[in-house]
């Protein structure tokens, strides 16, 4: 496989039905655009249907032929997750892209800490419910923030310990890494042909990272991002690369630049904590209890 890769190398995906969550902005939007350009039948799974329809029309205008579907999905609401899964029908690839970095401790409608519920538990439930309908691959968009994360199953929702933005976000993204690890193990054990990949976009100027709420510091981060960060389109290239049939199941994909901040997509190595099968198994059991969903195959 070539070390250097760009979206222009993505194979044609005519006839492939691909669901992208959180597809109206940032990396999700650029992922949907890239898929439409190679002929995929894109499904924009979004919270704001009006905005989703605007984005679908924009893609149709850009490609002069693609006609994305738009479905309602709020991954922070399990009832929305179930409604979406019930109505989607068969698909080839699921891209779990939607995510949040909460600015304060909040809970979802189901009582989950917001980052854990949005970035992990909602997508976990959606994937479990859709597995019988998926033909090819599940892609999970993670973050290098998982490197500083710790899974605390005694108090996963920060009900007793101190909540901070970095600790909540990094826990949710380590949860994604371990979920991907266990999902791939279960699929292989079940003899499924579904493959998996987890990605991180590096530092991408999407607004989800580097927002402290402290105006002077945010200005410094924004200025640094203009020089050091990937654009959303470059960040999406990592997600698109993960759909390349040559990328092996269970792969972790990220930018090739220094410290993984920016660059072209390549296979990257996992940290030891992201390879902890014991914790991954315990996390899976916790997520099944919280969401009321089970491995679908």
């Amino acid at each position: 496989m070539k070390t250097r890769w760009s979206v222009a190398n993505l194979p044609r995906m005519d006839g492939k039905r691909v669901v992208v969550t959180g597809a109206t902005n940032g990396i999700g939007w650029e992922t949907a655009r890239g898929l439409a350009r190679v002929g995929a039948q894109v499904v924009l799974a979004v919270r704001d249907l009006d905005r989703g329809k605007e984005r679908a029309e924009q893609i149709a205008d850009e490609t002069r032929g693609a006609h994305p579907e738009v479905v309602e999905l709020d991954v922070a609401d399990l009832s929305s997750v179930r409604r979406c899964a019930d109505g989607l029908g068969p698909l080839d690839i699921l891209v779990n892209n939607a995510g949040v970095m909460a600015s304060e401790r909040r809970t979802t409608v189901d009582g989950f800490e917001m980052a854990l519920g949005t970035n992990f538990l909602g997508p976990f439930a959606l994937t479990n419910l859709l597995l019988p309908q998926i033909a090819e691959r599940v892609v999970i968009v993670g973050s290098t923030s998982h490197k500083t994360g710790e899974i605390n199953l005694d108090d996963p929702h920060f009900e007793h310990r101190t909540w901070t933005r970095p600790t909540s976000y990094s826990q949710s993204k380590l949860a994604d890494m371990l979920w991907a690890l266990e999902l791939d193990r279960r699929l292989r054990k079940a003899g499924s042909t579904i493959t998996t990949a987890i990605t991180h976009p590096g530092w991408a100027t999407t607004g989800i990272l580097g927002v402290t709420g402290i105006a002077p510091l945010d200005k410094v981060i924004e200025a640094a991002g203009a020089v050091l960060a990937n654009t959303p389109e470059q960040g999406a290239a990592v997600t698109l690369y993960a759909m390349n049939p040559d990328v092996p199941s269970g792969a972790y994909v990220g930018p090739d630049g220094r410290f993984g901040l920016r660059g072209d997509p390549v296979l990257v190595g996992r940290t030891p904590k992201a390879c902890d099968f014991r914790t991954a198994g315990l996390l899976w059991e916790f997520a099944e209890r919280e969401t009321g969903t089970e491995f679908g195959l």
Side-chain angles (χ1 to χ4, degrees), residues 7 27 30 200-201 203-205 228-240 255 262-265:
V7 175
I27 288 170
E30 296 296 347
H200 80 84
W203 182 6
T205 53
L228 299 174
N230 271 338
T231 64
E233 186 175 9
Q234 290 168 325
V238 177
T239 304
L240 294 168
R262 62 182 297 175
D264 298 317

Side-chain angles (χ1 to χ4, degrees), residues 10 34 46 134 159 179 206 218 222 283:
L10 189 66
V46 301
I134 297 173
E159 294 172 309
W179 164 37
T206 62
D218 283 346
E222 183 180 354
L283 180 71

Side-chain angles (χ1 to χ4, degrees), residues 5-12 38 237 240:
W5 190 88
S6 72
V7 175
N9 302 122
L10 189 66
R12 294 292 303 176
V38 294
L240 294 168

Side-chain angles (χ1 to χ4, degrees), residues 40 46 59 70-71 85 98 108 143 154 167 189-190 193 234 247-249 277 281:
V46 301
I59 288 175
V70 181
V71 299
T108 69
S143 168
D154 292 326
T167 54
K189 183 177 179 181
T193 59
Q234 290 168 325
V247 172
S249 186
F277 279 97

Side-chain angles (χ1 to χ4, degrees), residues 123-247:
F124 173 90
L126 179 69
T127 302
N128 277 353
L129 293 169
L130 289 177
L131 275 179
Q133 299 157 224
I134 297 173
E136 293 186 12
R137 179 161 289 205
V138 175
V139 178
I140 299 166
V141 178
S143 168
T144 55
S145 294
H146 83 270
K147 295 179 180 179
T148 59
E150 299 293 337
I151 302 295
N152 187 328
L153 292 177
D154 292 326
D155 187 19
H157 300 299
F158 294 86
E159 294 172 309
H160 306 292
R161 58 188 169 126
T162 300
W163 182 97
T164 69
R165 182 184 298 185
T167 54
S168 70
Y169 186 73
S170 61
Q171 176 184 247
S172 73
K173 288 305 180 178
L174 179 56
D176 283 341
M177 294 293 296
L178 294 173
W179 164 37
L181 187 73
E182 180 67 7
L183 175 61
D184 192 69
R185 186 193 72 79
R186 287 175 178 248
L187 288 169
R188 303 286 73 72
K189 183 177 179 181
S192 174
T193 59
I194 300 172
T195 58
T196 67
I198 187 162
T199 74
H200 80 84
W203 182 6
T205 53
T206 62
I208 193 172
L209 294 175
V211 180
T212 66
I214 304 171
L217 183 54
D218 283 346
K219 289 182 179 179
V220 172
I221 292 172
E222 183 180 354
V227 177
L228 299 174
N230 271 338
T231 64
E233 186 175 9
Q234 290 168 325
V238 177
T239 304
L240 294 168
Y241 177 83
M243 290 179 240
N244 190 320
D246 293 332
V247 172

